[in-house]
Amino acid sequence: METNFNVTAQAELRKLVAYQRVATALAHPNIAFIKYWGNQDDRLRLPANPSLSMNLGCLYTLTTVSFDDGLSSDLLLINEVPIYGAALARVSAMLNWVREKANLTTAAKIESVSNFPIGSGIASSAAAFAALSVASSAAAGLDLSEAAVSQLARRGSGSASRSVPTGYSEWVMGDDETSVARSLAPPEFWDLRDIIVVVNQEHKAVGSTGGHALAKTSSLQAARLVGAINRFQLCRESLLARDLATMGPIIEEDAIIMHAVMMSSHPPIYYWDATTMMIIQAVQQWRREGLPVYFTIDAGPNVHLICEAKDAETVMVQARQLPNIESVMSSDVGGPAMLID
Amino acid sequence: METNFNVTAQAELRKLVAYQRVATALAHPNIAFIKYWGNQDDRLRLPANPSLSMNLGCLYTLTTVSFDDGLSSDLLLINEVPIYGAALARVSAMLNWVREKANLTTAAKIESVSNFPIGSGIASSAAAFAALSVASSAAAGLDLSEAAVSQLARRGSGSASRSVPTGYSEWVMGDDETSVARSLAPPEFWDLRDIIVVVNQEHKAVGSTGGHALAKTSSLQAARLVGAINRFQLCRESLLARDLATMGPIIEEDAIIMHAVMMSSHPPIYYWDATTMMIIQAVQQWRREGLPVYFTIDAGPNVHLICEAKDAETVMVQARQLPNIESVMSSDVGGPAMLID
């Protein structure tokens, strides 16, 4: 009996410990309306300007973190493929923050799967590090506030901070404690859509971590930072007024200016290709024809078409008729990063 | 006898008067290495930054100005087609300056022909107003210095000031008297080539006079002006050292930054199309493969490929293989605007 009791208790205990040591989280990538480009502090990823974004509800990354005494070092699996080198080191650095806070020394297995192509200019690292922040802190038994999770996500990948809160997020400047993202409005506030035109990528792009470090070598970056504060305020106000006719030109200008900084960095970074420029021209033509749709472009050649739900079908049909494109995806506004298991 | 003498004297006099009243001049367009975009004074076209260019020897405009008492108003023929409206008004405004200086009130016939397509993003107005300045001042009997002709040309079209001196020209900032162009080096100083890739232009561009007025609406223009002074100095030094490896990246950056200002103006102006961007990417690829060629782009979709004479044939062959282009032209360095008849 006593033996049996002990066995049962140990099993219960093991279950409890196991519960705390494994967690799965889901997070969405986000598309920035006001871009993040350049840091005040590269290590902590404290941004040089405030930014504002929309979570992409139809796209997600699922990440499971399992702290396991049987592992001698962290093990990373992305879409079931073991990953080593710089990507693993970046994930381990984030886990080290969690382990330090939780007083843990155990290595972890990190399994991450996404329903969208990674490294294609859709902010895969934002979804990945937001999901990792939620999963790793929960698995380590930490009970963090949303702000603390956003802070943790930011340290892993700046824009990941914005994938933590729900719907539309703003990420403010500040120090390690205060530079976090918070929700401006939930998804149901405004049913915007992001029609993502995926461009066949012939040219290998520069990773955005390296790009951020180059931002200050552009003679336009200082002017971009001053202007970004104005654009952030105008974008925030027009978003809260659900005023796309005002917001659209601001997000286009912000994207253009970020790419101007990229193309005038030393060395320059050209993320656009012929198809990107063709789509920029097409969007303006569609608008002259009465379709209210605006473009934005992240650190890659893909173009994001922002419109209201009522126009999404028309924009999709138009986008699919463009030559030289690989695919067209549509997404509504997404919720927060969250623990799902 | 007396009658005969009078007839002869009158004929001689008429010949002399006719000689003074008709003149033909030739001028080349120029391609700017450091761009002119935005004025300190829009009416006098006093530029907001110094600029630097190369005359294009293989392209030219021929202009004949005939002051004719039989005309009631100025008559403009471009490639044998009578032109009215804004273009005629701009030419007449320039002739008014000449007439005022020469104490003339006579109207003139202005006949202009070019050996390159006008309004295609090759600076046709630069060649046109440089030729017009030389021809009209000569026809009016004025004997102007090169600086005075450059000043006159500048009032008609800013960049025309740079088509007046020979070879490579610099156009400095200043007031109406001092903001003129002068030659930095003659054509034989450095045998550069401009391989002009003419892009099929689907989108009607904004004329550059309107664009200059918009420059100050871009939040990047102030930074462009500060940077342009640095780039002008670096470009000038590397040109005088015949150092293309140093000069090339500067001219590319300067072109990119001018287009960044255009694309971030209110309203934005997009001169690039898909083919423009494809060529920007191609040039970088060719350079990675060892071909020393650099791009620059004026207010249009065409791309100018700058290289040394030794590489011109290879660049031409590469350029002609690009898809979606209309034609490829090559030009060497041109001489000054000059009176030819």
Side-chain angles (χ1 to χ4, degrees), chain B residues 98-117:
Chain B
V98 172
R99 280 186 281 247
E100 197 186 324
K101 211 163 205 161
N103 225 346
L104 268 179
T105 53
T106 320
K109 182 165 81 170
I110 307 101
E111 296 161 284
S112 185
V113 292
S114 294
N115 74 338
F116 61 98

Side-chain angles (χ1 to χ4, degrees), chain A residues 11-172:
Chain A
E12 284 299 319
L13 187 66
R14 209 174 294 123
K15 207 171 133 195
L16 186 68
V17 171
Y19 176 73
Q20 290 176 330
R21 294 195 145 202
V22 180
T24 298
L26 174 149
H28 303 289
N30 66 76
I31 178 68
F33 295 161
I34 301 297
K35 304 296 187 190
Y36 154 56
W37 195 249
N39 291 315
Q40 291 190 312
D41 181 313
D42 281 329
R43 192 181 67 91
L44 292 172
R45 298 178 201 268
L46 300 176
N49 67 279
S51 56
L52 197 157
S53 64
M54 156 182 158
N55 285 346
L56 301 178
C58 297
L59 310 182
Y60 60 83
T61 295
L62 266 175
T63 300
T64 300
V65 173
S66 321
F67 286 103
D68 183 342
D69 292 322
L71 289 172
S72 57
S73 62
D74 294 331
L75 177 63
L76 173 63
L77 294 152
I78 297 181
N79 294 328
E80 303 185 346
V81 178
I83 305 285
Y84 302 97
L88 174 60
R90 194 168 165 191
V91 165
S92 286
M94 188 176 196
L95 286 174
N96 289 341
W97 268 311
V98 171
R99 280 186 282 248
E100 195 184 327
K101 212 162 202 161
N103 225 345
L104 269 177
T105 52
T106 319
K109 183 165 78 173
I110 307 101
E111 296 161 283
S112 186
V113 292
S114 295
N115 74 337
F116 61 97
I118 59 169
S120 65
I122 298 162
S124 54
S125 69
F129 280 95
L132 181 63
S133 299
V134 173
S136 63
S137 57
L142 297 173
D143 184 20
L144 301 183
S145 67
E146 183 183 273
V149 176
S150 179
Q151 175 197 34
L152 187 60
R154 188 208 71 221
R155 288 170 166 189
S157 171
S159 58
S161 67
R162 294 190 311 247
S163 280
V164 173
T166 189
Y168 300 94
S169 297
E170 58 176 351
W171 171 25
V172 296

